[in-house]
């Protein structure tokens, strides 16, 4: 029996999961936290690949972030599904670039450059500053960037009256910025999607070509992907007949600042061409945590915990402020949790926070307490990109994973080949395989310094790839940032490859994560830090939608926990100048306290 059929047997006793698995056409799976939606999605995708499509056709699987794509790749690899010519697993940006823009842009009438490179973060910042100065004046880019990004992802048609008139200053800034990108033959992440959308919507031949290659489209975290992806889906599915499997949860839509619109998933769920499926069972959270999460959400849902344990929720008032919260977390909560359960380790614990100041305070407290940690936030030592995540996995293999085939060597090779899109023919691809395998087998030493290991991988593999591949321009910048972080006196100066591989998650590292970055993850124990009014919801959250999104963010944090939730608060917040704002604990926290006291 094939892997997916074995996995499918575990879905049979859940009516929602089985309905989704058996659905013969397009379906929309509405899945709450801990509902097993990733297991359902990956098992169904493996089945469709084996039974419903015939090579060379395949399936494209699109998700929100690099982290989500990485998790899907791992889950699918266990079912024997890896990226290749007939399987795409990645973000909507990379899907647009690799499968729409790169092959079809030069054949279209959109006036796009025949050859282009991916703009690095540095390129984007420089061009944005130039465009801002030319259209608005010598202003601080920080004050305009979020407004610019949200407008750009909301009003997609540059020739529409709506785009030009709703905020004319920002519209002019966007046009100037995008013209400057094209003039330099560059494409940024939003342009990848916008160019891809134009090609798909305007050209029937593009839709037909995509359907021939990917007759099935799988979309994970649909609620986060925004209007541009939604329009792509409608064009491909309604006009070209592509089959859709969409998975998401409007209650976990927390990226409104980036253009996500939970209403789009709700609209899709009632479309007459797709079957809706609801997953109501929660296999992650204890019963008390599930009940508390519904209080936090503030809306009725039919979610039901399938976990025997109740779960615990505890609150800690820290009247001295955020430093006291960090001290209690590192000196009281974490040691007590570890002492209570001999099977517990810091890698099963996460500290979640929303404020930039909080991330530095808790990192400092953990360091002072001798707790190793990994940061998934803006303060991390290097950017998490597909390349740096792949390097973490290569380091894990070299540090001893080769003995257990974890991660699988074949998966590392597949991802390496995907970075080398310009390689043509079997001879070139065989040479690339040999190049990587020789490096990996020659560097199997967990104690090798990270700096030396990165120098070796550059010389052996990455030099030519990062220079020759235009799509890897931003990855080259991310790699350089990683190398710089290993210099004397920098955050990774003393790292060996075993320590570096732990940055992808390990039993020895406490997880320090922003609330926004925590979505899709799960831990035995979650500590929610800084649960004060003014932080969640933020002090500037005045609209009903802003408050609702903050409530959803609180809900997401709470539902990351399997067994224990610990919340710390002080009843006040402080700005960067030390000014105190005593607004009390978060209204979401007090609602929860009141409910639990009944």
């Amino acid at each position: 029996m094939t892997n997916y059929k074995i996995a499918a047997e575990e879905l049979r006793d859940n009516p929602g999961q089985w309905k989704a698995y058996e659905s013969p056409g397009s379906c929309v799976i509405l899945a709450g936290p801990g509902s097993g939606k990733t297991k359902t999605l990956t098992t169904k995708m493996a089945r469709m690949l084996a039974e419903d499509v015939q090579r060379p056709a395949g399936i494209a699987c699109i998700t929100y972030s690099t982290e989500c794509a990485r998790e899907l790749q791992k889950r699918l690899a266990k079912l024997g599904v890896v990226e290749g010519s007939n399987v795409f697993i990645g973000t909507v940006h990379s899907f647009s670039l690799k499968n729409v823009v790169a092959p079809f842009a030069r054949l279209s009438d959109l006036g796009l450059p025949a050859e282009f490179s991916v703009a690095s973060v540095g390129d984007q910042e420089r061009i944005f500053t130039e465009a801002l100065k030319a259209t608005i004046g010598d202003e601080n880019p920080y004050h305009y960037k979020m407004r610019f990004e949200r407008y750009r992802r909301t009003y997609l048609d540059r020739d529409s009256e709506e785009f030009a008139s709703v905020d004319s200053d920002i519209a002019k800034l966007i046009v100037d910025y995008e013209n400057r990108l094209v003039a330099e033959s560059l494409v940024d992440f939003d342009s990848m999607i916008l160019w891809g959308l134009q090609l798909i919507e305007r050209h029937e031949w593009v839709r037909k070509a995509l359907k021939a290659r990917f007759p099935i489209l799988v979309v994970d975290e649909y609620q986060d992907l925004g209007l541009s992806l939604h329009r792509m889906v409608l064009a491909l599915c309604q006009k070209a007949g592509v089959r859709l499997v969409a998975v998401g949860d409007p209650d976990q839509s927390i990226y409104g600042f980036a253009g996500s619109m939970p209403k789009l998933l709700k609209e899709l769920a009632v479309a007459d061409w797709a079957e809706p499926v609801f997953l109501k069972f929660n296999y992650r959270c204890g019963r008390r945590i599930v009940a508390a999460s519904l209080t936090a959400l503030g809306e009725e849902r039919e979610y039901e915990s399938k976990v025997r344990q109740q779960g615990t929720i505890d609150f800690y008032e820290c009247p001295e402020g955020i430093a006291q919260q960090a001290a209690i977390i590192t000196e009281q909560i974490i040691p007590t949790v570890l002492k209570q359960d001999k099977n517990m380790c810091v890698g099963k614990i996460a500290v979640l926070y929303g404020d930039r100041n909080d991330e530095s305070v808790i990192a400092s407290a953990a360091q002072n307490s001798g707790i190793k940690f990994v940061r998934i936030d803006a303060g991390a030592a290097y950017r998490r990109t597909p390349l740096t995540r792949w390097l973490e996995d290569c380091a894990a293999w070299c540090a001893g994973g080769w003995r257990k085939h974890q991660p699988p060597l074949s998966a590392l090779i597949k991802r390496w080949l995907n970075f080398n899109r310009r390689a043509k023919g079997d001879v070139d691809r065989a040479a690339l395989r040999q190049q990587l395998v020789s490096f990996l087998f020659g560097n199997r030493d967990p104690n090798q310094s990270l700096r030396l290991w990165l120098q070796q991988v550059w010389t052996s593999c990455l030099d030519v790839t990062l220079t020759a591949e235009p799509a890897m321009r931003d990855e080259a910048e991310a790699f350089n940032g990683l190398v710089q972080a290993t210099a004397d006196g920098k955050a990774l100066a003393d790292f060996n490859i075993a320590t570096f591989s732990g940055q992808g998650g390990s039993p020895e590292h406490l997880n320090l994560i922003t609330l926004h970055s925590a979505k899709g993850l799960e831990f035995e124990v979650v500590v929610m830090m800084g649960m004060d009014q003014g932080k969640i919801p933020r002090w500037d959250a005045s609209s009903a939608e802003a408050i609702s999104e903050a409530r959803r963010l609180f809900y997401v944090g709470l539902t990351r926990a399997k067994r224990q939730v610990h919340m710390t608060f002080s009843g006040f917040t402080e700005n960067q100048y030390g000014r105190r704002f005593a607004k009390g604990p978060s209204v979401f926290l007090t609602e929860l306290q009141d409910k639990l006291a009944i």
Side-chain angles (χ1 to χ4, degrees):
M1 186 178 289
T2 54
N3 287 349
Y4 76 87
K5 290 183 179 179
I6 296 172
E9 288 304 309
E10 298 179 10
L11 306 179
R12 191 180 291 274
D13 291 336
N14 182 312
Q17 290 180 333
W18 191 251
K19 182 179 179 181
Y21 179 73
E22 289 281 88
S23 177
S26 291
C27 69
V28 179
I29 305 169
L30 300 175
S35 60
K37 62 98 173 173
T38 304
K39 182 177 182 178
T40 305
L41 179 149
T42 52
T43 306
K44 182 174 179 63
M45 181 170 162
R47 177 186 184 174
M48 292 188 299
L49 194 64
E51 300 179 9
D52 298 343
V53 295
Q54 186 173 355
R55 281 181 175 273
I59 297 176
C61 179
I62 298 173
T63 190
Y64 177 74
S65 67
T66 298
E67 296 300 316
C68 294
R70 186 171 183 251
E71 180 61 24
L72 286 172
Q73 287 166 349
K74 287 183 176 180
R75 299 277 196 100
L76 286 164
K78 292 179 180 178
L79 297 172
V81 177
V82 294
E83 272 202 277
S85 60
N86 72 324
V87 176
F88 171 87
I89 309 165
T91 64
V92 64
H93 309 91
S94 58
F95 173 78
S96 294
L97 179 65
K98 295 175 182 178
N99 298 296
V100 186
V101 177
F104 302 134
R106 69 184 65 189
L107 304 177
S108 75
D109 56 358
L110 298 183
L112 304 178
E115 297 288 339
F116 57 84
S117 299
V118 176
S120 68
V121 172
D123 292 327
Q124 295 171 51
E125 290 176 350
R126 171 182 58 80
I127 294 172
F128 178 77
T129 300
E130 293 171 355
L132 179 67
K133 187 173 183 178
T135 57
I136 295 178
D138 196 10
E139 301 285 347
N140 186 341
Y142 176 79
H143 296 150
Y144 285 84
K145 195 62 183 290
M146 187 173 291
R147 183 174 152 200
F148 162 87
E149 290 176 345
R150 184 161 188 169
Y151 197 89
R152 195 176 177 208
R153 295 164 187 168
T154 302
Y155 302 100
L156 306 180
D157 301 314
R158 300 294 180 259
D159 55 356
S160 71
E161 177 62 27
E162 187 179 38
F163 170 77
S165 62
V166 172
D167 189 333
S168 58
D169 286 342
I170 296 298
K172 292 174 184 176
L173 172 60
I174 290 170
V175 170
D176 190 84
Y177 171 82
E178 292 179 346
N179 286 341
R180 290 173 187 269
L181 280 177
V182 172
E184 295 191 29
S185 296
L186 294 175
V187 56
D188 70 357
F189 293 117
D190 283 330
S191 293
M192 292 176 195
I193 302 176
L194 291 169
W195 289 5
L197 176 62
Q198 290 180 66
L199 286 163
I200 290 170
E201 287 191 330
R202 294 186 186 185
H203 298 293
E204 183 182 8
W205 59 270
V206 172
R207 296 193 293 273
K208 287 183 175 179
L210 286 171
K211 183 186 178 183
R213 185 176 182 192
F214 299 121
I216 300 176
L217 178 64
V218 174
V219 183
D220 189 26
E221 303 292 358
Y222 196 99
Q223 75 281 350
D224 293 328
L225 288 159
L227 183 59
S228 53
L229 183 278
H230 186 65
R231 282 175 47 174
M232 281 187 191
V233 166
L234 295 182
L236 289 171
C237 298
Q238 289 190 301
K239 293 183 179 180
V242 171
R243 178 181 172 188
L244 174 71
V245 176
V247 184
D249 181 6
D251 294 334
Q252 295 186 72
S253 179
I254 57 174
Y255 299 110
F257 62 88
S260 67
M261 299 178 182
K263 69 176 184 179
L264 300 178
L265 178 57
K266 294 178 181 178
E267 292 174 4
L268 194 67
V270 297
D272 58 8
W273 52 272
E275 178 183 16
V277 180
F278 178 61
L279 305 185
K280 73 174 186 176
F281 294 136
N282 185 313
Y283 295 94
R284 175 193 302 156
C285 308
R287 297 178 182 183
R288 187 176 176 85
I289 296 173
V290 170
S293 72
L294 297 179
T295 297
L297 188 60
E299 296 184 26
E300 289 295 324
R301 295 289 184 270
E302 296 180 359
Y303 296 138
E304 178 183 334
S305 175
K306 301 293 281 186
V307 179
R308 289 184 178 182
Q309 64 188 12
Q310 288 293 321
T312 62
I313 303 174
D314 294 298
F315 305 92
Y316 305 79
E317 184 174 8
C318 305
E320 296 177 19
I322 196 68
Q324 185 187 18
Q325 293 187 42
I328 285 179
I329 292 168
T330 55
E331 297 172 14
Q332 177 182 326
I333 297 174
I334 292 175
T336 300
V337 167
L338 294 174
K339 187 176 180 180
Q340 288 173 342
D341 185 349
K342 65 180 182 180
N343 295 318
M344 184 63 66
C345 61
V346 291
K348 297 179 181 180
I349 305 171
V351 181
L352 311 183
Y353 43 83
D355 187 272
R356 287 185 175 183
N357 177 58
D358 295 353
E359 67 188 24
S360 298
V361 174
I362 186 61
S364 178
Q367 190 169 24
N368 292 339
S369 297
I371 300 173
K372 295 180 181 179
F373 59 87
V374 54
R375 293 176 68 165
I376 305 178
D377 57 37
Y382 58 95
R383 284 196 290 134
R384 263 62 177 200
T385 68
L387 178 67
T388 59
R389 281 306 201 189
W390 175 76
L391 287 169
E392 289 172 356
D393 289 341
C394 287
W397 193 91
C398 289
W402 59 274
R403 292 188 179 92
K404 300 175 289 186
H405 306 288
Q406 289 297 329
L409 180 60
S410 60
L412 296 178
I413 293 171
K414 284 280 189 181
R415 288 160 66 189
W416 169 238
L417 294 176
N418 285 335
F419 290 134
N420 291 272
R421 293 285 176 172
R422 291 201 166 193
K424 302 297 183 184
D426 293 340
V427 174
D428 287 349
R429 293 171 70 83
L432 286 166
R433 288 190 194 94
Q434 181 61 42
Q435 188 181 58
L436 176 63
V437 169
S438 295
F439 165 75
L440 293 174
F441 274 87
N443 288 272
R444 291 177 294 170
D445 178 3
N447 297 315
Q448 184 178 8
S449 78
L450 176 59
R451 185 170 183 82
L452 176 60
W453 188 82
L454 291 174
Q455 290 172 351
Q456 296 277 11
V457 74
W458 169 261
T459 303
S460 302
C461 304
L462 289 180
D463 184 3
V464 173
T465 295
L466 294 184
T467 302
E469 293 281 348
M472 297 291 284
R473 185 184 180 109
D474 185 59
E475 293 288 9
E477 188 174 275
F479 178 78
N480 289 334
L482 173 58
V483 171
Q484 290 169 15
T486 66
D488 291 344
K490 298 295 185 179
L492 309 185
D494 299 325
F495 273 36
N496 56 31
I497 62 170
T499 310
F500 174 61
S501 67
Q503 299 303 293
S506 79
E508 293 80 26
H509 290 74
L510 174 68
N511 300 279
L512 305 183
I513 312 176
T514 61
L515 281 162
H516 282 96
S517 298
K519 193 167 73 64
L521 304 177
E522 61 180 34
F523 305 91
E524 295 292 327
V525 178
V526 164
V527 183
M528 296 175 67
M529 175 185 180
M531 296 296 102
D532 292 292
Q533 196 72 6
K535 288 185 178 178
I536 185 164
R538 280 174 48 90
W539 61 271
D540 56 354
S542 55
S543 68
E545 177 50 36
I547 299 295
S548 294
E549 182 160 310
R551 183 178 288 281
R552 295 194 294 267
L553 186 62
F554 185 79
Y555 170 76
V556 164
L558 184 61
T559 53
R560 299 311 91 196
K562 295 181 180 180
R563 295 165 51 188
Q564 298 180 30
V565 177
H566 303 266
M567 297 188 183
T568 65
F569 65 97
S570 297
F572 66 88
T573 60
E574 288 183 336
N575 65 15
Q576 59 184 322
Y577 306 109
R579 185 180 176 188
R580 180 174 294 193
F581 300 88
K583 300 292 186 181
S586 168
V587 62
F588 309 141
L589 182 145
T590 56
E591 288 174 358
L592 196 54
Q593 285 181 313
D594 292 343
K595 181 69 173 181
L596 293 175
I598 296 176

